[in-house]
Amino acid sequence: GEIAFGQVSLDAYGTIGRRTFKPFRLPLRRISISGTGHEWSVGGSITWTLLASGHLSLSPYVSGDTGTVETERMINGFAGPLSVREKQKGTSGSAGVNLSRSFGPDGVHAFGANLAYATSSNASASSASGFGPRGMRRLRPLGQGSSGGDSWLEYGVSGAFQLGQAVGIDVSAD
């Protein structure tokens, strides 16, 4: 959800998910591997929207979240079934800026460009990339494997289109 105080908006968000991994066999061996997993995270961000001119705005933001990823692999081999569980907790944060231009009747639609620095403690953390008063949230793959932290630079473009009183679509490419 979001709450705004003039040019400053506070966002809170959460994710929950479950996944089943397709079973596979190792070549030339009688070993098969399958698995399941689930993830949850909660976080928030603060955005300050500054009008640069007319329909152009600049929005610096900071965000942070915490989450958990838990997976279980079932390995069926020569010695019988073996279950391997892994659980990771992590945090992430990002700071960035979005430059957007509104258009349409009353400026209800917008295109924008985003640049941010993000850091994470491990693979269980997700990041939020701000888009003016709205934000895009997603899970980030990390470069140092499943247990190592990482930092990276994010950039991309996004668009927001208001379709009705309470319906809108946000799209992005990072």
Side-chain angles (χ1 to χ4, degrees):
E2 177 182 277
I3 187 167
F5 304 98
Q7 295 174 293
V8 177
S9 62
L10 303 173
D11 288 284
Y13 48 88
T15 60
I16 188 166
R18 183 162 183 77
R19 179 174 180 185
T20 301
F21 301 94
K22 183 178 179 181
F24 67 94
R25 285 191 169 286
L26 294 176
L28 305 174
R29 297 194 176 125
R30 295 182 181 182
I31 299 173
S32 65
I33 301 173
S34 62
T36 61
H38 65 271
E39 177 264 340
W40 69 264
S41 66
V42 294
S45 64
I46 183 168
T47 304
W48 183 25
T49 302
L50 307 167
L51 289 177
S53 69
H55 296 286
L56 199 60
S57 65
L58 187 68
S59 303
Y61 65 90
V62 294
S63 67
D65 58 44
T66 184
T68 299
V69 172
E70 188 170 350
T71 59
E72 179 178 16
R73 293 279 190 186
M74 183 61 81
I75 303 170
N76 291 309
F78 301 113
L82 171 67
S83 176
V84 179
R85 290 180 184 233
E86 182 180 8
K87 183 175 183 175
Q88 293 184 28
K89 295 181 179 182
T91 57
S92 71
S94 64
V97 65
N98 178 271
L99 179 65
S100 63
R101 184 182 190 302
S102 60
F103 65 95
D106 298 323
V108 296
H109 312 298
F111 283 116
N114 189 61
L115 179 65
Y117 176 78
T119 188
S120 177
S121 62
N122 61 23
S124 65
S126 62
S127 69
S129 296
F131 180 73
R134 298 184 185 134
M136 177 194 67
R137 289 89 168 120
R138 71 207 180 301
L139 210 62
R140 292 290 301 177
L142 301 178
Q144 294 183 356
S146 64
S147 62
D150 203 358
S151 296
W152 61 94
L153 187 64
E154 287 183 341
Y155 57 92
V157 295
S158 52
F161 307 96
Q162 195 66 37
L163 303 178
Q165 286 285 76
V167 179
I169 294 177
D170 291 346
V171 294
S172 65
D174 288 328

